[in-house]
Amino acid sequence: EDQVTQSPEALRLQEGESSSLNCSYTVSGLRGLFWYRQDPGKGPEFLFTLYSAGEEKEKERLKATLTKKESFLHITAPKPEDSATYLCAVQALIQGGSEKLVFGKGTKLTVNP
Amino acid sequence: DVKVTQSSRYLVKRTGEKVFLECVQDMDHENMFWYRQDPGLGLRLIYFSYDVKMKEKGDIPEGYSVSREKKERFSLILESASTNQTSMYLCASSFSAQVSSPLHFGNGTRLTVT
């Protein structure tokens, strides 16, 4: 069964304290891995797509990387406004040639001033 | 920027009522999706559509139906609302089913069934 596991479930950082969120996956036929940010009471907001191992994407204080089994979302010198839940989703090729998107349950990040 | 608009942010309905959740996207996207999001369960796919008048069941379609009469509009229908359908409902759209394109979400409808 295709699975996406995010860790930790929750993370508290001090402002400026860099860290990483993990998304590990067991799928066959990876078609793409997506990172989203979700603020309380809002829908997820798209951040990055990664397609192949070794690929990296950056946006402000965020950098996403991908290996064959996991992805990391690195947060450098975070600010309180980076507080949110970060979701990972994997697009996998399934039987019959169709695709399925599997979401992780998210990591809730809190950055204290 | 893609805009996905859900007609209501909050809804309170009674058990047994028929409930319509409306979603409109403005970027001519082919694909549209309905998810529900619950604490500890994450995002679960209810129904999706790759084209007008087409619909496909997701992982949890029981108790729901959908309608897509126009490309930009995708409606979720709860035929007879029940308390276990209290949840955050999220609509999303994406450009194409042929390549891995990201979902663009609306801001959600928080539905309470009493």
Side-chain angles (χ1 to χ4, degrees):
Chain A
E1 183 183 336
D2 296 331
Q3 284 195 326
V4 177
T5 304
Q6 291 189 245
S7 61
E9 289 185 15
L11 180 63
R12 285 186 174 272
L13 300 173
Q14 288 299 123
E15 185 171 1
E17 180 186 1
S18 301
S19 188
S20 297
L21 313 182
N22 177 262
C23 172
S24 64
Y25 59 92
T26 53
V27 301
S28 53
L30 177 73
R31 300 285 283 166
L33 184 142
F34 306 94
W35 282 99
Y36 293 86
R37 170 196 169 119
Q38 186 174 24
D39 293 300
K42 294 193 173 182
E45 175 189 349
F46 169 68
L47 293 173
F48 304 110
T49 308
L50 301 167
Y51 291 107
S52 57
E55 191 174 358
E56 298 182 353
K57 294 273 180 74
E58 283 189 69
K59 181 179 180 180
E60 296 180 358
R61 294 176 293 281
L62 300 177
K63 179 180 175 180
T65 62
L66 181 64
T67 72
K68 287 187 178 179
K69 293 184 178 180
E70 59 192 348
S71 176
F72 291 95
L73 185 65
H74 307 278
I75 304 177
T76 302
K79 297 182 177 182
E81 53 262 42
D82 295 321
S83 297
T85 296
Y86 291 86
L87 298 171
C88 169
V90 172
Q91 187 98 5
L93 196 62
I94 59 175
Q95 269 187 327
S98 59
E99 298 183 0
K100 182 174 183 178
L101 186 66
V102 182
F103 277 90
K105 294 182 180 178
T107 294
K108 184 177 180 180
L109 173 67
T110 304
V111 182
N112 297 313
Chain B
D1 277 352
V2 177
K3 192 164 184 183
V4 179
T5 303
Q6 294 184 230
S7 55
S8 304
R9 291 299 307 274
Y10 301 94
L11 273 180
V12 181
K13 297 291 181 181
R14 292 192 179 276
T15 301
E17 278 193 80
K18 191 169 186 175
V19 182
F20 293 87
L21 303 184
E22 306 287 345
C23 175
V24 177
Q25 51 96 1
D26 68 356
M27 281 300 291
D28 202 35
H29 281 178
E30 294 178 9
N31 312 320
M32 296 189 76
F33 306 81
W34 276 106
Y35 286 86
R36 64 179 283 178
Q37 187 175 34
D38 300 286
L41 297 177
L43 280 158
R44 293 180 292 168
L45 181 63
I46 306 171
Y47 266 98
F48 60 101
S49 169
Y50 287 149
D51 202 351
V52 176
K53 297 197 185 292
M54 287 185 61
K55 60 184 179 183
E56 300 281 347
K57 292 180 179 179
D59 297 320
I60 52 162
E62 297 79 19
Y64 304 95
S65 62
V66 289
S67 172
R68 193 166 181 201
E69 296 295 319
K70 293 185 178 181
K71 190 174 185 178
E72 68 271 17
R73 187 179 297 269
F74 194 35
S75 302
L76 180 69
I77 303 154
L78 286 65
E79 296 290 341
S80 177
S82 62
T83 54
N84 63 12
Q85 293 179 310
T86 291
S87 185
M88 169 71 98
Y89 289 88
L90 291 162
C91 175
S93 71
S94 68
F95 176 64
S96 169
Q98 300 306 314
V99 296
S100 295
S101 53
L103 299 182
H104 297 268
F105 286 87
N107 272 331
T109 296
R110 185 164 293 283
L111 173 66
T112 302
V113 182
T114 62

